[in-house]
Amino acid sequence: MISFRSSLFAAACASLLLSGCGSSSYGVDSGAAPPAGGGTSGATPPGNPIGSSSGTTGTSNSVVATLSTSGTVSVVAGGTRNVAIVFTSSDGRAISGFGISGSLGNLPAGWKGPNSFACSKVSTGSGCVLNLSYAPMAAANGSITLNYVFVDNSAMPQTTSSLTFAYVATPQNNVVATAAPSGQVNALINGAGQPVTGTFTTDDGRPATSLAVTTNLGTLPAGWTASSSTLSCASLSTGNGCQLSLMFAPATAGNGTLSLGYSYIDDGGAAKTGTLNIPYAGTTNDNVVATASPSGQINAVVGAGNQPVTVTFTTDDGRPASALTVTTDITHLPSGWSSTLASFSCSTLSTGSGCRLPLTYAPSGAGGGTLSLAYAYIDDSGNAKTGSIGVSYQATTSNHVIGTSSPTAVSVITGNSMPVAITFTTDDGNPATAFAVTTDLTALPSGWSSVASSLSCAAVSSGNGCQLALSYAPGAAANGSLSIAYSYTDNSGTPKTGTASLQYAALNPPHLYVPQLTGGLQLCPFNSDGSLGACASTGSGFSSPTSIAFYGGNLAYVSDYYSNSLYVCAVAADGSLSGCASTGSNFQYPLEIAISGTTLYVTNADSTGGVTTCAIGGNGSLSSCLETSGTGSAGIAANATSAYIGVGSSTVDVCAIGSMGALSSCAVTGSGFSGAVGITLSGGYAYVANQSGGNVSACAIDPTTGDLTGCTSFSGGASMPMSVALDGSQAYVDDLYGAIYLCTIALDGTFSACADVTDGNIFSYGINIAVH
C-alpha cells in the first residue's frame, strides 16, 4: 500500500490506495498479488497519487628485443605511431628458428602488424625487424606482450621469451624521435664511421615548441660524437626541420644503446619529455645499409602526380659486399607504391650509387604507413647477412581550411554573455595562404559581436594562430545558426572558399513548477544560489494538478487528478502558463505524465486505470488516447526507447516503446523501491522518489537493454519524497510535507549536501515537480 500520511491528507481525500499489480496490456508486475483496499472506477478516488638456419654451436646466447622508443608507446588519438622492434643476439653470434609465437593475431584496438613474423637468423644488424603501427581512434592505455621462440647458439632445445611494452593514446600530441638509418646502427671498428640523423617530429602533425636535447652531447658513449654541443628547436611539427646530426665511429668492438633525452612543450601547453633510443654495434665485418631519397617521410598529394623514390644500397665501411637481393616481393608493395622492376639484385656493391632500387609513390587515397624492404647479401668476409629499411610515407588530399568553434554549440541564458572562438586550421596540417573572413563582422545577428571588425591570416595550418574572437550576449530568447564565410588559397595554389557555422540559442531563465493536489500549480523563480524565490500561481482550468510535462519548448501538459482531465497550456517567455484547455480522454485519476517523441503517457491511479497513451498533434492537442487495462500506476518517465512505470508499492517496470509509441515487453526492473511515486531520467541514471521509504534511489540505465541496475538508495532530505527535478548538476526533491530540497549530484549519481530551499513558500501536497 502506498499512501500519503493519512493525518496530512485527510483534508484532500480519504485513504488513497493503489490497487494490486495484476496483469495489464503492458505487462506490469503480473505476478504480484494486489494489496487490499484498491479503489474502483467511479468510487471514492484512489489513494496516493503517486605471441632453421645452422651455425657453430657453443655456449648459449639469447635474443635481445629493442623497441624503437623507450618507455610507453604514446600517440595522440586520431594519429599514427610506427614502432620498430629490432631483434639481435645478445653476443652477436647467430640464433636460428626465431619467430613470434601466436601473439600477433589479436593485437589491441588500434594496433596493426603482420599476421605472423619470423626470421631464419638473428645476429647483429637490422635484418630482423618487426614493424607495428598504432593508430588509436580514442584515448586508451594498456600493454602488449610479444612471445617469441628461438634456438640459441648452444643448439639447446627451443627457448621461449617475451617482450612486454606499454602503450597509451592521449588527447594531446607528443614529440617522437626517429633515427636514420633505422634499426641497429652498425659501424666498422676504426672505419670511416656511420652518420646518424635523429629527426624530431610530432605524432599528429600539429606543432610542439621549445624542444631541447637534455642529454649532454659532449659526453656521449665511446665512438659517438655530435655535430654540436646542444640542440634546440623553437617549433617543430612534420618534415626534417628539427634534426640532430651524430656520428658513430667505434674504436673497439661492442654494442649498446645510445639514449638521448629531450624536453618540449606539446600543442596543449604541457611540458613533456622523451627519449630517443638508438641501438648500436661496433663490428669487424662490413654491413650493407639502405638509404632512401628523399630522406625522411615521403609525402605525396593524391592526384598530383608521382613521387619518385630511390633506395641506395652501400656498405658501412666502403669495402665490398656481394650477392645483394631484395627479398621483399616488389610486385606486391603497399597501395600507391610500385617499381619498374619485378625483382632487384646487385652482384657487388660498396660506395656510390651503383646499387639503386627505383620506386614510385602515387597514392590513390589518403593514408600512410611504413614501406618495409628486406634484403640479403654476403659481407666482405663471406658471411651471409640480412637487413631491412623502413620508409615512412603519407598521402594527403588537396587541403581545405576548416573553422572549428569553441564551444561547438552556444546556449546562453538571456542577460548573460559567452565568449566564442572560431579557430581556422587546415584538414591535413599543411599550409593554406591568403586567408580572410568575408562576412561583415559589424553586421552579425542580434546579440553577436566581434572583437575585431575583420580577420585575415597570411598562412593557416595547425594550432590556434588564426582565430576569430566573438561574443554572444542575447537580450531575448532566440535560436539560430551563425555562419562565417571566408576565402583562402589551398596548398596546391587553388583559390577556395568555406563557411564555419554554429548553432546558438538564447534561453529564458529556468523555473521550478510545483503541481499541488490541493493548492493549484505554483511557478517559482530561482535565486542565484539555487534557492526558490517568491512562487506564484499560474495556469487555469485545473483544480487538483499532480504533474506537468513540457513539449516543444512552448507547450505544457498538466494532469488534473480529480476531474480526470489533462490540460495543454502555452508557456510564455517568463515561464507562466496561459490558454489552458482540456485535451485527450480516457483518464482515471491521471497522476503523472511522460513524453517520448510525439507520444504522451499518463499513469492512472485508479485500480483499473493502467496507462493512457495519446498521440500529440501539431497544435499540441491529444488524440487516439488508449487506456490499458490492469492495475493502477504511479510514477512514469520515458526516453526514446523505454518507459519506466511505478506499479504497486515496491515495483518499477521497464517497457519497450514501439515505433508508434505503444508499450510492450514490460518486465520488472531495479530493486529497493518503496512507494515508487516519482521517476526522473538523466545522465544515464533513473531517479526514483520512494515516498514510503523516505529516500531516493539512483539506478544506472543499461544502454543496451534499458534495465535498471546497481540501484542505491540515499536521503534526498525529504521525509516523504514525491518527485525529483534536475537542473544541471543539481537536483530538487519535493517533500509531501510542503518543502523543496536542493541537492548536489555526485559523480556516482547519488545526492549530497541536501538543504531546504523552500524559503517561505507554502506548498500543499506537491506531487510531480519539474524544471523548465
Side-chain angles (χ1 to χ4, degrees), residues 22 138 257 307 339 346 591 605:
T257 299
Q307 170 65 60
S339 176
C346 297
L591 186 57

Side-chain angles (χ1 to χ4, degrees), residues 528-624:
S528 59
D529 61 358
S531 63
L532 303 183
C535 303
S537 178
T538 189
S540 62
F542 34 80
S543 60
S544 51
T546 55
S547 183
I548 184 169
F550 296 90
Y551 178 76
N554 59 356
L555 289 178
Y557 293 92
V558 179
S559 58
D560 197 35
Y561 189 69
Y562 288 119
S563 69
N564 292 327
S565 301
L566 219 68
Y567 287 82
V568 59
C569 308
V571 183
D574 61 0
S576 63
L577 306 184
S578 63
C580 300
S582 178
T583 185
S585 59
N586 291 324
F587 309 121
Q588 294 190 60
Y589 300 103
L591 186 57
E592 297 192 17
I593 308 170
I595 295 175
S596 176
T598 58
T599 304
L600 181 142
Y601 304 95
V602 181
T603 57
N604 295 295
D606 189 84
S607 60
T608 62
V611 175
T612 299
T613 302
C614 302
I616 302 175
N619 61 355
S621 63
L622 302 179
S623 63
S624 303

Side-chain angles (χ1 to χ4, degrees), residues 96-133:
S96 63
F98 173 84
I100 301 295
S101 57
S103 51
L104 289 175
N106 191 24
L107 294 174
W111 283 92
K112 290 184 179 180
N115 290 329
S116 62
F117 182 78
C119 298
S120 61
K121 180 182 292 186
V122 176
S123 58
T124 60
S126 57
C128 187
V129 179
L130 171 61
N131 288 298
L132 302 175
S133 66

